[in-house]
Amino acid sequence: DIFEKDSTVNCTAEVLYHLGNKNAAPDVQFTIEGELKNTDEADNLFYNRIKSLKNELVAENIPDSYGNVPPEMEPIRALAWAASGYVIWKNSNDNTKYQLAQIKHVKQVKRSDEYLEFDYMILLHENVSQEIIPWQMTVLWHPQHGIEVTQNSRQPKHV
């Protein structure tokens, strides 16, 4: 549990890859032993803070080159972590092992509804090849409705 540093929750997953169909996401079955911390209060605080900003949030290099994440950016990182999990799941095969390395850039997108929208440029570390892959993802989030990755695409290395 990334929010409770002293808490360990066991999760077991079975991941089945579709042979011959490189475009199909793997099937995942998982179980969690124990309970994760309820984040409703923190989610609502973050949501209200972002909704009350006069200008849209913009940030870069989370974490910085020393591994530091400003406390006010932890929720932005948590959203990226969850969203990148979806991207990783949809783009993995049995020869890859992706991990979120850094948020290179994030920009809030102004919306007229109750959702928050963020446009992320993330760096994924592919552990097998040791490649760093830029990836764009657009994320919608609302504390009562959860997270959705509305678009994502691998980017050229020079981004």
Side-chain angles (χ1 to χ4, degrees), residues 6 8 11 36 39 44 48 51 59 72 76 83 87 95 101 106 114 119 123 136 143-145:
D6 297 333
T8 301
C11 177
L36 299 174
T39 61
N44 287 322
N48 291 327
K51 276 295 205 183
E72 68 275 10
I76 294 295
V87 169
N95 296 317
V106 60
E114 75 272 12
D119 189 32
L123 299 178
Q136 180 278 331
Q144 275 73 51
H145 305 292

Side-chain angles (χ1 to χ4, degrees), residues 44-101:
N44 287 322
L45 282 171
F46 169 65
Y47 177 81
N48 291 327
R49 179 173 69 87
I50 297 300
K51 276 295 205 183
S52 68
L53 292 175
K54 292 189 185 346
N55 297 312
E56 286 77 34
L57 178 136
V58 176
E60 293 187 347
N61 300 323
I62 305 168
D64 66 16
S65 56
Y66 299 102
N68 300 315
V69 177
E72 68 275 10
M73 289 293 118
E74 282 291 351
I76 294 295
R77 183 184 191 195
L79 276 176
W81 201 318
S84 69
Y86 170 82
V87 169
I88 289 167
W89 171 68
K90 291 296 275 185
N91 294 282
S92 289
N93 60 50
D94 54 351
N95 296 317
T96 59
K97 186 173 189 264
Y98 295 113
Q99 181 177 355
L100 176 62

Side-chain angles (χ1 to χ4, degrees), residues 84-129:
S84 69
Y86 170 82
V87 169
I88 289 167
W89 171 68
K90 291 296 275 185
N91 294 282
S92 289
N93 60 50
D94 54 351
N95 296 317
T96 59
K97 186 173 189 264
Y98 295 113
Q99 181 177 355
L100 176 62
Q102 185 182 48
I103 300 166
K104 196 66 187 154
H105 182 83
V106 60
K107 181 176 195 265
Q108 182 185 0
V109 178
K110 191 171 185 84
R111 293 181 62 90
S112 57
D113 62 11
E114 75 272 12
Y115 282 85
L116 297 179
E117 181 174 339
F118 298 96
D119 189 32
Y120 284 95
M121 178 62 67
I122 60 172
L123 299 178
L124 294 180
H125 179 221
E126 205 293 301
N127 290 314
V128 176
S129 67

Side-chain angles (χ1 to χ4, degrees), residues 9-10 41 62 68 108 127 132 141 152:
V9 178
N10 290 324
E41 185 178 340
I62 305 168
N68 300 315
Q108 182 185 0
N127 290 314
I132 298 293
W141 179 76
N152 75 90

